[in-house]
Amino acid sequence: MDQPLLAGMAVVRGCCSLRNLKAWVPILSWLPRYNIRWLQMDLLAGITVGMTTVPQALAYAEVAGLPVEYGLYSAFMGGFIYSLLGTSKDVTLGPTAIMSLLCFSVVGGQPHRAVLLSLLCGLIQAVMALLRLGFLLDFISFPVIKGFTCAAAVTIGFGQIKNILGLHGIPSQFFLEVYYTFYRIPEARIGDVILGLLCLILLVLLVFMKATVDPGDSPDSKYTRVSRKLVWTVATMRNALVVVAASLIAFSWDAYGHHVFTLTGETSQGLPPFRPPPTSDTTANGTIVSFGDIVKGFGEGLAVIPFMGLLESIAIAKAFASQNNYRIDANQELLAIGVTNIMGSFVSAYPVTGSFGRTAVNSQTGVCTPAGGIVTSAIVLLSLAFLMPAFYYIPKASLAAVIICAVAPMVDFHVVAKMWRIRRLDLLPFAVTFLLSFWQVQYGIIGGVATSGVLLLYNVARPQIKVSDHGVLLMELASGLSFPATEHLSRIIHTEALQAASPRSVVLDCHHVSTIDYSVISELKDLLRQFKLREVELVFCRLQPSVLQVLLAADLQGLRSTDSLEAALQLMSENQ
């Protein structure tokens, strides 16, 4: 057998090794060790999260401008896929407030296009994972993320006020929405207002109850311990309990002929058919929109939504991995999210990502493996199969209360004070992102990233140079040196040394310089020539070996360097 064939077989065996297989399919790592205790804890966590997922999924579909059943269509695929491919035991994938808002901003509440968007986002995310492009997320700074989440929370929360008031026909554009919501307050339906406010008050009370009761505490008596656990469980399932209670109230009034609440109404019953997502769409007047035109209509949303989905989910995974002492594989997480969105598009799902709230519930309930997501998905499927007729009586005001309480913690303006104390310049990308997001959320993210990029490039182009007098001038570069910074360095050296009344020698401390390019070499060559003409010296000290090797290879005339700062100063003093 020839050598190339043997080499090829060796590569194939290496790729198909058990270690690599476990890296690509993490379930193979924990499934052989699965036991009864893990099963018990996963069942408990899955049921608890499922009771939270169903009402939230219905509510987030409203944010996305889609029929409520699309929230449930989007909520079950993640549990099955993530249990196979995910590397975090805590993360739950499904519809979230931010992704729902982004989806609405791109597709405007059109179901067919939302499903196609899920497919395209999943393909982009999966390709990024296969190409190991997770590092691109590092270019979205924390101020941009906080600016976006704060603006999204305000936009989503205020967008639900119309449902609390029972108003219809309010524009979706934020500023128009604010104007017309206040303008049409006299048209508010009393039943919706009262029910919505009661749901809000009850949800807030349950949140405070959960915050004051820790089921992990060890009270003196067994009765006290059980009662605390019961209170914590009720508070954890608050969304489901409030929605069920509101639905019973609405059903009771409706049964007596009093239609005082705005209800969810008819929903499609049963499981969604498994079929490829539509590649074309038909408008209300019968015009067929081609695949190319739909994709063109998505615009920058095809870049923003996959990135934000990845960013949100990986940030959540890292936070809970650190809290619970395990590690995740970021690129594998990308693959899990991408495959979830791809497969979700075959069951009419819109784009999903990791949910912080449901992941927190999953972790606090003691989930042991990603298998808890399978239980959650099973509950969603059972709801689709048997409970859809009951969803007719869910008041929209109760779903609005659920959404408002879910997004309220995202409004974290304390971070502004922290940025002011630490680095005030970070407030610029925060403010740009926050303000532009009220115009279009994707413009806010793009504007924030661009602003952060400009600040980053400015720091590269204008590195700090500390100048001190030791008989000769000592110039210390506080950061690396690359081609945007060459003009800045040259100007300072000319101003401080060459253009002085009496030209002075310079020691350039380069211990922070790790790489060097042709533009820098060219500028240094000119500087050495200028120093020679003025009969003074430019000496480099503490050059890293890789940089010194490049400088020597460039054959710079008059290049002098030393290994230590003391040696450089001593050399200069001897020559003066």
Side-chain angles (χ1 to χ4, degrees):
M1 191 176 294
D2 58 359
Q3 291 297 323
L5 183 57
L6 290 173
M9 291 176 64
V11 170
V12 171
R13 283 197 299 269
C15 293
C16 298
S17 67
L18 183 59
R19 181 179 178 182
N20 285 335
L21 198 58
K22 287 182 177 180
W24 286 104
V25 189
I27 190 175
L28 298 177
S29 299
W30 55 263
L31 188 59
R33 298 180 286 114
Y34 204 75
N35 54 54
I36 293 297
R37 179 183 170 278
W38 286 6
L39 177 61
Q40 293 172 340
M41 298 306 296
D42 287 346
L43 281 172
L44 176 62
I47 292 171
T48 305
V49 175
M51 295 294 288
T52 303
T53 299
V54 171
Q56 279 196 343
L58 297 172
Y60 290 147
E62 289 275 344
V63 175
L66 302 171
V68 293
E69 62 265 23
Y70 279 82
L72 295 179
Y73 295 163
S74 307
F76 67 84
M77 186 60 74
F80 297 117
I81 300 297
Y82 195 82
S83 63
L84 294 173
L85 302 178
T87 59
S88 169
K89 72 179 183 64
D90 300 300
V91 166
T92 62
L93 299 182
T96 66
I98 288 178
M99 291 301 285
S100 299
L101 177 64
L102 286 169
C103 181
F104 177 76
S105 69
V106 173
V107 302
Q110 301 177 74
H112 287 175
R113 299 190 185 190
V115 173
L116 180 59
L117 180 64
S118 178
L119 173 66
L120 296 178
C121 288
L123 289 172
I124 292 170
Q125 291 164 335
V127 169
M128 287 179 63
L130 295 175
L131 296 178
R132 298 296 193 231
L133 297 180
F135 72 91
L136 293 176
L137 301 176
D138 297 338
F139 289 94
I140 303 180
S141 65
F142 182 78
V144 173
I145 297 170
K146 293 305 292 186
F148 168 69
T149 54
C150 288
V154 173
T155 302
I156 294 168
F158 191 87
Q160 296 306 309
I161 299 296
K162 61 179 181 289
N163 289 327
I164 295 284
L165 299 176
L167 300 176
H168 302 280
I170 301 293
S172 57
Q173 206 282 331
F174 180 75
F175 297 107
L176 291 176
E177 186 176 50
V178 172
Y179 173 77
Y180 281 103
T181 298
F182 284 109
Y183 179 76
R184 294 178 55 187
I185 281 180
E187 302 175 22
R189 294 167 58 97
I190 299 300
D192 287 323
V193 173
I194 294 175
L195 184 63
L197 292 177
L198 286 175
C199 289
L200 276 173
I201 293 169
L202 184 56
L203 285 169
V204 171
L205 289 175
L206 289 171
V207 168
F208 280 115
M209 286 173 58
K210 183 179 179 181
T212 56
V213 176
D214 184 356
D217 290 347
S218 299
D220 295 334
S221 67
K222 181 179 179 181
Y223 172 78
T224 306
R225 186 167 59 251
V226 171
S227 62
R228 290 169 70 88
K229 181 70 175 178
L230 179 61
V231 171
W232 182 87
T233 303
V234 170
T236 299
M237 297 182 177
R238 59 188 178 275
N239 292 331
L241 296 177
V242 167
V243 170
V244 168
S247 300
L248 291 175
I249 292 172
F251 175 77
S252 301
W253 281 81
D254 201 68
Y256 286 99
H258 302 294
H259 307 294
V260 295
F261 305 115
T262 303
L263 304 180
T264 297
E266 293 288 346
T267 56
S268 299
Q269 184 176 359
L271 303 179
F274 189 85
R275 62 189 178 194
T279 55
S280 62
D281 198 8
T282 304
T283 61
N285 60 9
T287 303
I288 297 177
V289 184
S290 67
F291 175 78
D293 289 335
I294 294 176
V295 173
K296 189 183 298 182
F298 290 160
E300 63 276 0
L302 271 182
V304 171
I305 292 181
F307 266 89
M308 289 308 300
L310 297 175
L311 187 67
E312 188 176 1
S313 189
I314 290 177
I316 292 168
K318 286 183 176 179
F320 283 89
S322 175
Q323 177 181 312
N324 296 321
N325 301 314
Y326 62 88
R327 294 187 62 81
I328 65 160
D329 182 340
N331 282 302
Q332 185 64 25
E333 291 293 302
L334 303 189
L335 182 63
I337 301 167
V339 174
T340 295
N341 280 320
I342 292 171
M343 297 305 297
S345 69
F346 284 80
V347 290
S348 302
Y350 66 89
V352 302
T353 186
S355 163
F356 185 87
R358 297 194 294 273
T359 298
V361 171
N362 208 25
S363 177
Q364 291 167 2
T365 315
V367 72
C368 294
T369 71
I374 298 176
V375 181
T376 298
S377 297
I379 290 175
V380 175
L381 288 173
L382 289 173
S383 300
L384 279 167
F386 302 109
L387 298 181
M388 294 305 285
F391 293 160
Y392 176 94
Y393 292 99
I394 296 178
K396 288 192 174 184
S398 65
L399 294 179
V402 169
I403 294 172
I404 291 171
C405 288
V407 300
M410 293 163 52
V411 185
D412 180 18
F413 288 115
H414 295 294
V415 74
V416 174
K418 294 178 182 177
M419 284 189 282
W420 179 265
R421 291 195 303 268
I422 296 170
R423 186 171 182 261
R424 295 176 184 178
L425 207 55
D426 284 336
L427 289 172
L428 185 58
F430 174 88
V432 169
T433 305
F434 181 76
L435 295 175
L436 284 181
S437 292
F438 291 116
W439 177 27
Q440 285 284 345
V441 287
Q442 59 266 39
Y443 294 164
I445 297 168
I446 294 170
V449 170
T451 305
S452 293
V454 169
L455 294 178
L456 180 64
L457 292 175
Y458 181 83
N459 290 330
V460 172
R462 294 293 181 269
Q464 292 183 357
I465 300 176
K466 181 181 178 182
V467 181
S468 55
D469 195 334
H470 295 263
V472 296
L473 289 179
L474 171 64
M475 295 187 181
E476 180 182 355
L477 290 164
S479 59
L481 184 63
S482 55
F483 70 90
T486 55
E487 181 62 30
H488 177 62
L489 174 65
S490 179
R491 184 172 62 253
I492 290 179
I493 291 177
H494 274 84
T495 302
E496 298 289 340
L498 298 179
Q499 295 175 359
S502 177
R504 306 185 63 184
S505 297
V506 172
V507 174
L508 194 60
D509 188 349
C510 300
H511 70 283
H512 285 302
V513 179
S514 57
T515 59
I516 199 166
D517 56 39
Y518 184 80
S519 298
V520 177
I521 294 289
S522 178
E523 190 64 36
L524 291 178
K525 185 181 297 185
D526 182 65
L527 282 172
L528 286 170
R529 184 174 58 83
Q530 294 292 332
F531 271 84
K532 185 176 180 180
L533 288 174
R534 289 166 175 78
E535 298 181 348
V536 286
E537 292 191 81
L538 174 61
V539 175
F540 299 86
C541 76
R542 297 200 285 182
L543 286 167
Q544 295 189 22
S546 59
V547 176
L548 178 59
Q549 185 178 1
V550 172
L551 291 176
L552 292 174
D555 193 23
L556 296 179
Q557 297 297 321
L559 173 66
R560 302 183 69 181
S561 68
T562 62
D563 293 334
S564 68
L565 181 58
E566 293 78 9
L569 294 174
Q570 179 67 28
L571 176 65
M572 299 291 271
S573 63
E574 290 175 355
N575 291 338
Q576 285 185 339

